[in-house]
């Protein structure tokens, strides 16, 4: 297993970020679906393989933007050379 940190471009102060991580770019069954106040998410003890994540911003006034395009993340096995 590995640990990864997902990061994206932060917006103005007060913006929240809804983040999803899934095994499929269609996000049918997200493994993670969290709303955060920081533009970073640490994922601990994740199985090495390919994942996808996307971010949706929630403005201070409550406006919810569209999802970002999925980003492909390859999690390597840190114990293999």
């Amino acid at each position: 297993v590995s640990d990864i940190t997902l990061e994206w471009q932060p917006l103005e102060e007060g913006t929240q970020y809804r983040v999803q991580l899934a095994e499929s770019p269609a996000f049918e069954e997200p493994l993670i679906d969290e709303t955060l106040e920081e533009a970073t998410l640490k994922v601990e003890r994740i199985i090495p393989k390919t994942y996808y994540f996307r971010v949706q911003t929630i403005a201070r006034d409550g406006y919810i933007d569209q999802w970002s395009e999925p980003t492909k993340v390859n999690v390597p096995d840190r114990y293999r050379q």
Side-chain angles (χ1 to χ4, degrees):
V1 295
S2 296
D3 297 343
I4 62 169
T5 300
L6 303 174
E7 297 178 314
W8 52 92
Q9 186 67 39
L11 297 178
E12 66 184 41
E13 190 174 328
T15 300
Q16 291 185 317
Y17 308 94
R18 183 176 174 197
V19 184
Q20 290 186 334
L21 180 73
E23 294 177 356
S24 160
F27 294 87
E28 298 98 347
E29 296 181 28
L31 303 171
I32 294 175
D33 187 346
E34 293 189 25
T35 300
L36 310 166
E37 295 188 6
E38 301 294 324
T40 184
L41 173 66
K42 183 167 182 166
V43 182
E44 298 177 344
R45 303 187 51 78
I46 191 167
I47 296 170
K49 64 164 124 181
T50 300
Y51 296 92
Y52 299 85
F53 86 96
R54 63 184 181 176
V55 179
Q56 183 179 53
T57 58
I58 304 167
R60 202 175 359 198
D61 66 4
Y63 176 79
I64 299 173
D65 205 349
Q66 295 182 10
W67 286 105
S68 66
E69 290 295 315
T71 300
K72 186 176 183 178
V73 179
N74 292 311
V75 179
D77 186 339
R78 64 182 177 172
Y79 298 107
R80 287 196 182 153
Q81 296 295 333

